[in-house]
């Protein structure tokens, strides 16, 4: 019995060595998660935040002890807050309080931190707990609140941006100009407004109205109904140094007319963008890498999605065809475009143009006789097989832009106090996407929730907060094999797992068995000789 126990112990030790070897070989996963992404180590901009803080900033983390006893994230959040304090040279003071125990529940709720109800299962019994988990940042007489904090992957961005906002008393405003008269923010862009409202105030600017000076960024959504009179204030906003995103179409798709496609032959906005350095072709881009067409159906009072064949007009952007050098797409999370038009970059003196989003090399154009019906899309995959190539879908332009206008436009019945034309801009930046629908609530047709994240990144880049955007896009990645995005890393991980599980462990077990076999055989031979 003692010999068998010894042999079993040896086997367990050998297997332990194998497991340790496997963990040692997988260290790069941990390095990738905690070092490459740095989700749990604050960045340089956060460490140097004290230089921007004249007076003390007080951060209060309201957290219920009940929640701390059930989950690990409160400890991670507290550690992150303490790291802010440690690097602040005394400028940031952190407090951690349980409002229910300290009697601060009324104060916490007056600052915007309200209790949440969670279901708790303990000892096979279900109960409902009323807990707090929120952060309040106070500077002088100003405060910023994170009412519910339950994850750490985006917390550094939230903290640093709100500390800056409180200290600088800044008000960042995004103005939205609707370029199509049949669209509105309330009916077509509710998700975009909700996403941008996390970090900006959002206001609509009427077509042809002057762009107020307090507008930090301008989103121009659509181009179908914008005349030169409407464009003049947008052009002059850019000439004043205002940053803008243009989501435009070379071909308009009419949903009310069975997806009828019409070229934007006369579009002053597309002409203006061409004068800036990017041409939007009056064509549709189709790609082999695409989504299935889906349409909603009502069944027994419930909305269900009917899935149809692949639809090459709904282009899914592959992460290997985005710019990793631009902060917008440095940590690309995904993007779906619907009936997009290709962009051509035009060389302009003083302008640097970069395509940040491209199709796969298996894309082709539809320039005439537009076929958009999904039940006929199967035949489209056989079109232009030999002439397929890659196309630009989104581009950023930086530099000093020249005005599109030589004279001030007029329109009967409308007067503006426009008396002069600003001829050129200071160093500036704009972003152009050859699609409008991707920014609208249409994203639900492909579950493209990441579209809103992409637009939020665009807003941060236009706001010139590159350092904040680097924090925002540096999130923790899931280190499971099926979540590794980089193909080389995934291949190495799969190979290592296969080697360990299919080769090394069986070989060691077999070797141990052979060792035991020869050991017993040797003992039998010795006994035979002694007998």
């Amino acid at each position: 019995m003692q010999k068998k126990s010894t042999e079993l112990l040896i086997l367990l030790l050998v297997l332990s060595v194998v497991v340790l070897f496997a963990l040692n070989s997988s260290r790069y996963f941990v390095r990738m998660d905690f070092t490459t992404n740095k989700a749990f180590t604050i960045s340089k901009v956060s460490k140097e935040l004290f230089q921007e803080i004249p007076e003390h900033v007080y951060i209060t983390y309201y957290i219920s002890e009940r929640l701390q006893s059930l989950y690990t994230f409160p400890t991670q959040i507290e550690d992150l807050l303490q790291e802010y304090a440690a690097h602040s040279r005394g400028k940031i003071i952190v407090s951690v309080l349980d409002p229910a125990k300290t009697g601060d529940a009324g104060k916490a709720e007056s600052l915007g931190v309200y209790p949440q109800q969670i279901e708790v299962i303990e000892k096979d019994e279900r109960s409902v707990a009323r807990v707090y988990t929120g952060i309040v940042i106070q500077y002088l007489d100003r405060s910023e609140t994170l009412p519910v904090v339950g994850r750490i992957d985006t917390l550094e961005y939230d903290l640093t941006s709100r500390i800056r906002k409180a200290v600088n008393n800044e008000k960042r405003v995004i103005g939205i100009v609707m370029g199509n008269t049949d669209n509105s923010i309330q009916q077509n862009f509710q998700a975009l407004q909700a996403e941008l409202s996390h970090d900006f105030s959002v206001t609509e600017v009427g077509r042809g109205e002057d762009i107020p000076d307090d507008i930090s960024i301008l989103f121009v959504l659509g181009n179908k109904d914008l005349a030169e009179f409407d464009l003049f204030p947008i052009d002059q906003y850019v000439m004043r140094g205002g940053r803008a995103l243009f989501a435009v179409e070379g071909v308009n798709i009419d949903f009310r007319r069975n997806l009828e496609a019409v070229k934007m032959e006369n579009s002053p906005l597309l002409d203006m963008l061409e004068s800036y350095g990017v041409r939007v072709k009056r064509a549709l881009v189709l790609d082999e890498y695409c989504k299935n067409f889906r349409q909603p159906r009502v069944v027994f009072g419930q909305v269900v999605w009917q899935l149809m064949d692949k639809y090459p007009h709904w282009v899914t952007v592959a992460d290997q065809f985005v710019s990793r050098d631009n902060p917008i797409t440095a940590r690309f999370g995904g993007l779906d475009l619907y009936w997009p038009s290709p962009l051509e970059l035009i060389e302009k003196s003083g302008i640097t143009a970069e395509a940040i989003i491209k199709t796969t090399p298996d894309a082709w154009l539809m320039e005439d006789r537009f076929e958009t019906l999904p039940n006929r899309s199967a035949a489209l995959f056989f079109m232009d097989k030999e002439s397929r190539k890659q196309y630009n879908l989104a581009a950023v332009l930086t530099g000093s832009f020249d005005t599109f206008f030589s004279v001030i436009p007029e329109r009967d019945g409308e007067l503006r106090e426009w008396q002069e034309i600003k001829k050129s801009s200071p160093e500036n930046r704009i972003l152009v996407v050859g699609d409008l629908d991707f920014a609208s609530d249409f994203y639900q047709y492909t579950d493209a929730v990441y579209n809103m994240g992409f637009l939020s990144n665009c807003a941060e880049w236009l706001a010139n907060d590159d350092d904040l955007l680097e924090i925002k896009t540096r999130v923790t990645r899931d280190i499971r094999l099926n979540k590794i995005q980089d193909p080389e890393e995934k291949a190495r991980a799969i190979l290592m797992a296969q080697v360990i599980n299919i080769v090394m462990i069986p070989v060691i077990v077999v070797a141990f068995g052979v060792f035991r076999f020869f050991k017993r055989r040797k003992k039998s031979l010795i006994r035979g000789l002694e007998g």
Side-chain angles (χ1 to χ4, degrees):
M1 177 68 73
Q2 186 175 0
K3 289 183 179 180
K4 289 184 178 180
S5 299
T6 302
E7 291 175 351
L8 183 60
L9 179 61
I10 293 172
L11 179 59
L12 290 173
L13 287 172
V14 172
L15 291 175
S16 298
V17 170
V18 173
V19 172
L20 288 172
F21 174 77
L23 292 173
N24 186 61
S25 302
S26 303
R27 281 183 304 173
Y28 72 92
F29 290 133
V30 179
R31 278 201 305 273
M32 174 185 67
D33 195 42
F34 289 89
T35 305
T36 303
N37 292 292
K38 297 183 181 177
F40 300 106
T41 302
I42 64 174
S43 63
K44 182 180 178 181
V45 63
S46 299
K47 290 178 181 177
E48 297 179 352
L49 203 56
F50 69 92
Q51 298 176 3
E52 306 175 32
I53 304 175
E55 304 293 337
H56 289 101
V57 169
Y58 296 90
I59 301 179
T60 305
Y61 179 29
Y62 293 103
I63 180 68
S64 298
E65 285 188 2
R66 184 73 182 278
L67 205 58
Q68 288 179 304
S69 66
L70 294 172
Y71 300 99
T72 60
F73 75 83
T75 301
Q76 296 172 339
I77 291 172
E78 184 177 347
D79 290 345
L80 186 66
L81 294 174
Q82 295 299 344
E83 192 167 355
Y84 270 85
H87 288 93
S88 71
R89 301 189 182 183
K91 292 291 185 68
I92 296 177
I93 299 172
V94 174
S95 302
V96 181
L97 302 175
D98 181 344
K101 292 189 65 176
T102 61
D104 290 311
K107 181 180 179 180
E109 292 178 21
S110 69
L111 292 169
V113 177
Y114 297 99
Q116 308 294 312
Q117 288 189 337
I118 63 170
E119 186 179 50
V120 179
I121 302 176
E122 292 179 300
K123 297 180 180 179
D124 296 328
E125 294 185 1
R126 292 177 180 269
S127 62
V128 176
R130 193 167 178 264
V131 298
Y132 293 85
T133 171
I135 294 174
V136 176
I137 300 165
Q138 294 173 296
Y139 179 79
L140 300 179
D141 60 345
R142 301 187 287 271
S143 66
E144 292 289 327
T145 302
L146 302 175
V148 180
V149 182
R151 51 190 297 179
I152 195 172
D153 53 356
T154 61
L155 183 57
E156 185 187 356
Y157 169 81
D158 293 331
L159 288 170
T160 299
S161 62
R162 279 166 173 75
I163 290 172
R164 277 183 170 177
K165 186 177 179 181
V167 171
N168 299 327
N169 198 23
E170 64 180 6
K171 182 182 179 183
R172 301 196 303 174
V173 182
I174 289 183
I176 296 181
V177 175
M178 305 304 301
N180 296 1
T181 55
D182 51 357
N183 285 344
S184 69
I185 294 178
Q186 293 73 25
Q187 292 184 349
N188 306 97
F189 296 91
Q190 289 186 0
L192 176 62
Q193 182 181 34
E195 178 69 26
L196 296 179
S197 295
H198 292 312
D199 302 302
F200 299 85
S201 296
V202 180
T203 184
E204 185 169 357
V205 180
R207 286 182 294 276
E209 298 292 334
D210 289 330
I211 312 299
D213 291 334
D214 66 344
I215 296 292
S216 310
I217 304 166
L218 192 67
F219 274 31
V220 181
L221 304 178
N223 53 296
K224 181 167 64 74
D225 299 311
L226 290 175
E228 288 192 358
F229 186 86
D230 304 314
L231 292 179
F232 184 77
I234 297 174
D235 172 87
Q236 292 299 285
Y237 170 80
V238 174
M239 294 307 111
R240 298 199 308 264
R243 278 79 184 279
L245 176 146
F246 297 91
V248 293
E249 303 170 305
V251 177
N252 178 250
I253 304 297
D254 194 333
F255 300 125
R256 294 170 297 185
R257 295 189 176 183
N258 206 21
L259 302 182
E260 180 184 56
V262 179
K263 284 187 180 183
M264 296 281 194
E265 296 288 5
N266 181 25
S267 176
L269 177 52
L270 298 190
D271 297 336
M272 187 175 83
L273 293 177
E274 186 168 342
S275 76
Y276 291 166
V278 60
R279 179 183 296 117
V280 181
K281 293 196 67 174
R282 276 70 164 179
L284 295 177
V285 176
L286 285 69
D287 200 331
E288 289 269 5
Y289 195 56
C290 60
K291 290 289 186 178
N292 287 72
F293 192 89
R294 299 202 315 167
Q295 55 186 354
R297 289 281 186 267
V298 177
V299 179
F300 300 114
Q302 300 291 326
V303 177
V304 297
W305 290 95
Q306 179 183 355
L307 191 65
M308 301 176 68
D309 292 334
K310 290 180 66 177
Y311 188 56
H313 306 73
W314 289 0
V315 176
T316 295
V317 178
D319 60 0
Q320 62 264 43
F321 300 122
V322 303
S323 172
R324 295 298 181 183
D325 296 326
N326 190 286
I328 297 173
T329 47
R331 289 284 189 269
F332 184 68
L335 188 67
D336 290 351
L337 301 177
Y338 312 101
W339 303 282
S341 296
L343 309 181
E344 292 182 2
L345 305 182
I346 305 169
E347 188 173 340
K348 294 279 184 177
S349 176
I351 301 295
T352 300
E354 177 197 8
I356 62 169
I357 298 286
K358 297 183 178 182
T359 67
T360 72
D362 294 317
W364 68 101
L365 294 185
M366 185 179 286
E367 301 181 81
D368 295 293
R369 298 180 60 187
F370 298 108
E371 181 58 76
T372 58
L373 294 178
N375 57 358
R376 301 178 185 175
S377 62
L380 299 178
F381 289 94
F382 299 97
M383 292 177 56
D384 301 323
K385 279 284 190 179
E386 297 180 358
S387 60
R388 296 190 181 184
K389 63 177 185 177
Q390 196 168 42
Y391 294 91
N392 302 325
L393 297 173
V396 296
L397 286 77
T398 57
S400 177
F401 299 94
D402 293 329
T403 181
F404 174 63
F405 292 91
S406 57
V407 297
I408 297 176
E410 298 179 356
R411 183 153 64 192
D412 292 341
E414 295 190 54
L415 298 176
R416 298 286 187 272
E417 296 181 359
W418 300 332
Q419 297 178 352
E420 62 178 357
I421 301 173
K422 187 171 178 57
K423 297 295 185 181
S424 61
S425 76
E427 188 73 16
N428 203 353
R429 55 175 65 172
I430 65 172
L431 193 154
V432 181
V433 183
D435 181 31
L436 169 62
D437 297 308
F438 89 101
S440 74
D441 297 336
F442 194 87
Y443 78 91
Q444 63 185 310
Y445 277 74
T446 61
D447 292 328
V449 292
Y450 33 73
N451 280 15
M452 297 301 114
F454 172 81
L455 286 159
S456 179
N457 288 348
C458 292
E460 291 294 350
W461 181 80
L462 290 169
N464 203 23
D465 290 339
D466 288 357
D467 51 0
L468 281 180
L469 185 56
E470 289 174 3
I471 298 174
K472 188 174 185 178
T473 55
R474 192 184 60 243
V475 297
T476 306
R477 286 187 288 179
D478 192 328
I479 59 176
R480 292 174 295 175
L481 290 181
N482 65 326
K483 293 294 183 181
I484 299 173
Q485 300 297 319
D486 185 87
E488 293 184 1
E489 288 181 357
K490 189 169 186 176
R492 286 197 298 269
I494 292 173
L495 179 61
M496 179 60 66
Q498 289 176 338
V499 168
I500 292 171
N501 291 288
I502 299 175
V503 180
M504 294 186 64
I505 292 178
V507 166
I508 290 172
V509 172
V510 170
F512 185 75
V514 171
F515 169 76
R516 288 191 61 191
F517 171 77
F518 282 105
K519 185 176 179 181
R520 289 182 176 180
R521 184 179 180 184
K522 182 178 179 181
K523 287 181 179 179
S524 298
L525 289 173
I526 292 173
R527 290 195 189 99
L529 292 173
E530 288 177 351

